[in-house]
Every structure is written in C-alpha cells, then in structure tokens.
Amino acid sequence: MYKYTFRVQYQEIDAERRLRLHALQNHLLSIAGLAADEGGFGIQYLYPKGLTWIITNMSLEMDYMPKAGDELTVETWVEQNQHMLSVRNYKIYKGSLIGRAKTVWAVLDLTKREIVNVFNEAPFQGVEESIPFEMERAKRMSPITSELNHPHRIEYGDVDYNNHCNSCKYTELMLNAYKPEWLSEGFRFDIRYTKEIYLGDTLFTLVEQTEEDVTYQQKDAAGTTLCSARIEKR
C-alpha cells in the first residue's frame, strides 16, 4: 500500500472551478508510476530493457469533483499480476473517502510494440496486496453508429515519452467534443484503450448521449477503434 497527497492547482480546474477529469486521471497515473518505481518495478526498471507500462483500461467513481486548493490523499496498491495484466486500485480522500478507481496495466515492448509478460521477474514477486476492493472493471461498450466527427490531428503536445498519444489526452479530446453538465457531481467513468495513435495521425471522436450517460468512441482515419469510454451519473 502506497499513500500520496497532492493539492489541486488552479491550472487543473475548469470554468466551474472543479478539477478536470483528465487532470485527475493524470494524477492517478503519475501516482501509479511513483508507486511502481518505489517498488522497484516501474519505468526506471523497465525502460533500460526497452519496455514500458501502458494502461489498458480505467474505471473511476467520484462522489464529486474537488476544487482548487483542496488537498487529496490517494492510497494505491497492486491487486494482482497475472495473464500479462496488472490490476492497480486506488482510494481517493478529501478527509473522508470521495472516490475510488481500478486500473489495468500491461508491459509494452517499445521495439516490437507488443505486450510482453514480465511478471515472473524478481521485482514483481510479492507485490500483490490482498485488500478487499469491490469495484467492477471498465465495462465493454457497444459501437457508436454516428458518422465520424470532431477531428483532431495528433501534435507535439499530445505525444508522451512512449512515442504515442498520451492516455489522458484521449479523455481531454472526448470532453472537448462533449462535456456532460453533471460531470462535477457524482459519476462513474470507464475508459478502454485498444490501439495506439501517433504524431501526425488524425483522431476522430464520436459521441452518443442520453439523460443518464454519455458514450464516446475514438477512431483513426481508417475507421479503426482506438479508445472507448462512458461517463454515467451516479
């Protein structure tokens, strides 16, 4: 179990003065990296081997989104490492518990751009915590049938050190296409990543909405699905 504390900054909030969803997502992914490095199985261990962590899906439930200046404490731990996937959980506190998240990760070979299994290596032994955590993983989403819209060309600021579009940028582009009015209130966010996209490529965001949820699907110019997500009222 690892514990980290951070304060919401003004550059991380929206016009409603609430923490942006992709900014919170970025904090959680950064905390995962810090915890993995402290445990000896993070980027500092993997990168010299030509490997890196990538996130495959995330589920996040929040009672509400905090404001600028709020201090948040995040607890995180690895639930399991098996079948080439690592499950990491989070609890988010602002004094009391206000949110929780479940993420699923894989290790990517940077040369082959393929998922590899490294969980039999020494740094990964004994890192799993048997802490009860009842939360569904990211749900599968039905395809959206609307025409491609909201195009965005992947530029310098979108690409991370793994040489592909940053995972939080997908969320930002979804909310640029459509942001639910109730996002500052209680919600569940599920996102699943299926294919990389690179500098110079164009990403298209499709949106379908009801009174209770918003579903997103992002595709490349060939129509291949890159990422799917849903934001539901709680």
Side-chain angles (χ1 to χ4, degrees):
M1 171 74 75
Y2 291 85
K3 184 181 292 187
Y4 299 89
T5 298
F6 68 92
R7 193 173 297 277
V8 177
Q9 303 299 312
Y10 280 95
Q11 63 268 28
E12 298 176 322
I13 61 173
D14 60 17
E16 298 174 358
R17 300 189 176 184
R18 296 285 183 175
L19 180 62
R20 297 176 191 269
L21 176 56
H22 57 272
L24 175 57
Q25 185 183 13
N26 187 63
H27 276 292
L28 297 181
L29 302 192
S30 296
I31 287 168
L34 292 171
D37 276 332
E38 287 187 34
F41 51 90
I43 293 298
Q44 294 178 24
Y45 171 76
L46 293 177
Y47 224 63
K49 299 174 176 287
L51 307 173
T52 189
W53 283 110
I54 58 168
I55 186 168
T56 66
N57 62 73
M58 165 184 273
S59 295
L60 170 68
E61 294 178 352
M62 295 293 292
D63 294 338
Y64 61 88
M65 290 298 266
K67 298 180 178 180
D70 286 347
E71 185 175 272
L72 303 182
T73 298
V74 177
E75 293 177 343
T76 184
W77 67 97
V78 174
E79 178 182 325
Q80 63 182 28
N81 291 326
Q82 61 182 17
H83 306 306
M84 300 176 73
L85 297 174
S86 178
V87 179
R88 175 175 289 278
N89 300 323
Y90 305 78
K91 290 184 177 180
I92 305 164
Y93 299 87
K94 191 175 84 73
S96 60
L97 182 69
I98 65 167
R100 56 186 187 160
K102 181 181 290 287
T103 54
V104 181
W105 300 77
V107 174
L108 178 73
D109 184 307
L110 287 164
T111 302
K112 297 179 181 178
R113 309 307 289 191
E114 295 176 352
I115 303 302
V116 295
N117 190 348
V118 296
F119 297 142
N120 59 346
E121 297 183 15
F124 295 93
Q125 304 305 307
V127 302
E128 299 163 87
E129 298 280 354
S130 57
I131 300 172
F133 193 75
E134 295 298 327
M135 184 177 183
E136 293 182 52
R137 296 190 190 182
K139 304 172 184 177
R140 294 193 179 276
M141 292 152 237
S142 300
I144 294 177
T145 56
S146 60
E147 295 181 1
L148 296 177
N149 53 23
H150 302 287
H152 174 83
R153 188 174 187 272
I154 303 301
E155 304 284 4
Y156 164 79
D158 303 325
V159 176
D160 63 18
Y161 65 93
N162 290 328
N163 202 31
H164 60 196
C165 183
N166 181 272
S167 54
C168 299
K169 178 60 68 170
Y170 292 88
T171 306
E172 181 179 2
L173 294 174
M174 290 174 187
L175 295 179
N176 285 347
Y178 180 78
K179 174 188 170 294
E181 294 180 357
W182 38 263
L183 187 58
S184 297
E185 305 163 13
F187 67 89
R188 176 179 170 114
F189 172 62
D190 290 316
I191 187 166
R192 303 177 66 91
Y193 303 93
T194 53
K195 187 176 183 293
E196 299 175 288
I197 192 168
Y198 305 101
L199 182 69
D201 294 339
T202 300
L203 176 151
F204 299 86
T205 301
L206 292 75
V207 184
E208 243 177 30
Q209 62 188 90
T210 70
E211 292 185 359
E212 298 299 323
D213 62 47
V214 182
T215 303
Y216 301 89
Q217 192 169 21
Q218 292 173 321
K219 297 185 177 184
D220 61 18
T224 304
T225 299
L226 307 168
C227 182
S228 301
R230 180 181 291 122
I231 305 174
E232 299 176 88
K233 286 184 179 180
R234 288 187 64 208

